[in-house]
């Protein structure tokens, strides 16, 4: 079963690197963010510590972990789960739910699931280098053997 699975440090590192860290609130797309891309609510602090940024990241990832877990039809290992959570955290659990990654994984086709990560390299119809890099890291984690 997948009940006890949580994202591992390798998965969190992919998210940390992709989101970047800002201990001061910043605006993007009409919204305010802080830490590792945590969306601010009005009245939230404009400055946080690294410890607070880490806590917000784990809190934000928890809903994605639940969303991924709910959609898995077969057991995942820690690396597979962590890579899928990193992907779903970026594209949304809804998009993950209809993805070839999930469909292939649930069908037991691990190589096809791994390769399907690489499809998610676009934003607004354009291919982005940072997304290519992130997907390659997620794919490598997904395929990495668990000790």
């Amino acid at each position: 079963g997948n009940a006890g699975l949580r994202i591992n440090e390798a998965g969190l590192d992919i998210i940390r690197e992709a989101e970047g860290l800002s201990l001061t609130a910043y605006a993007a797309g009409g919204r305010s963010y802080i830490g590792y891309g945590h969306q601010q609510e009005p009245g939230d602090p404009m400055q946080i510590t690294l410890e607070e940024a880490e806590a917000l990241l784990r809190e934000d990832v928890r809903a994605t972990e639940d969303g991924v877990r709910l959609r898995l039809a077969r057991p995942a290992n820690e690396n597979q789960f962590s890579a899928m959570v990193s992907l779903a955290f970026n594209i949304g659990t809804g998009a993950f739910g209809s993805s070839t990654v999930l469909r292939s994984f649930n069908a037991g086709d691990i190589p096809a699931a791994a390769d399907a990560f690489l499809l998610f390299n676009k934003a607004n119809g354009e291919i982005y280098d940072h997304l290519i890099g992130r997907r390659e890291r997620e794919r490598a984690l997904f395929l990495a053997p668990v000790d």
Side-chain angles (χ1 to χ4, degrees):
N2 297 314
L5 281 179
R6 301 292 307 271
I7 191 169
N8 60 20
E9 278 303 308
L12 284 172
D13 280 342
I14 294 171
I15 295 173
R16 286 183 188 113
E17 187 184 294
E19 296 291 341
L21 173 63
S22 177
L23 298 179
T24 306
Y26 61 94
R31 298 206 171 106
S32 178
Y33 298 90
I34 202 164
Y36 298 102
H38 172 77
Q39 195 173 319
Q40 292 270 77
E41 299 297 327
D44 280 355
M46 300 301 286
Q47 193 79 38
I48 58 172
T49 65
L50 179 58
E51 290 71 30
E52 288 167 329
E54 286 293 328
L56 286 171
L57 175 61
R58 286 175 190 280
E59 205 176 286
D60 289 346
V61 166
R62 198 161 296 136
T64 305
E65 288 173 331
D66 293 342
V68 169
R69 211 179 283 113
L70 280 171
R71 290 167 170 85
L72 297 180
R74 56 194 301 278
N77 71 38
E78 185 186 298
N79 287 336
Q80 291 167 338
F81 181 75
S82 296
M84 289 188 280
V85 169
S86 176
L87 175 67
F89 187 73
N90 184 217
I91 68 173
T93 47
F96 174 76
S98 59
S99 71
T100 314
V101 172
L102 179 66
R103 211 169 317 124
S104 299
F105 177 81
N106 282 341
D109 191 341
I110 300 307
D115 289 344
F117 275 87
L118 304 178
L119 302 172
F120 293 91
N121 61 3
K122 293 189 188 84
N124 306 319
E126 283 185 60
I127 294 176
Y128 284 92
D129 287 343
H130 75 273
L131 291 177
I132 293 171
R134 179 173 182 165
R135 298 292 96 90
E136 285 170 351
R137 290 188 66 193
E138 288 165 349
R139 179 181 181 276
L141 177 59
F142 183 83
L143 292 171
V146 178
D147 302 332

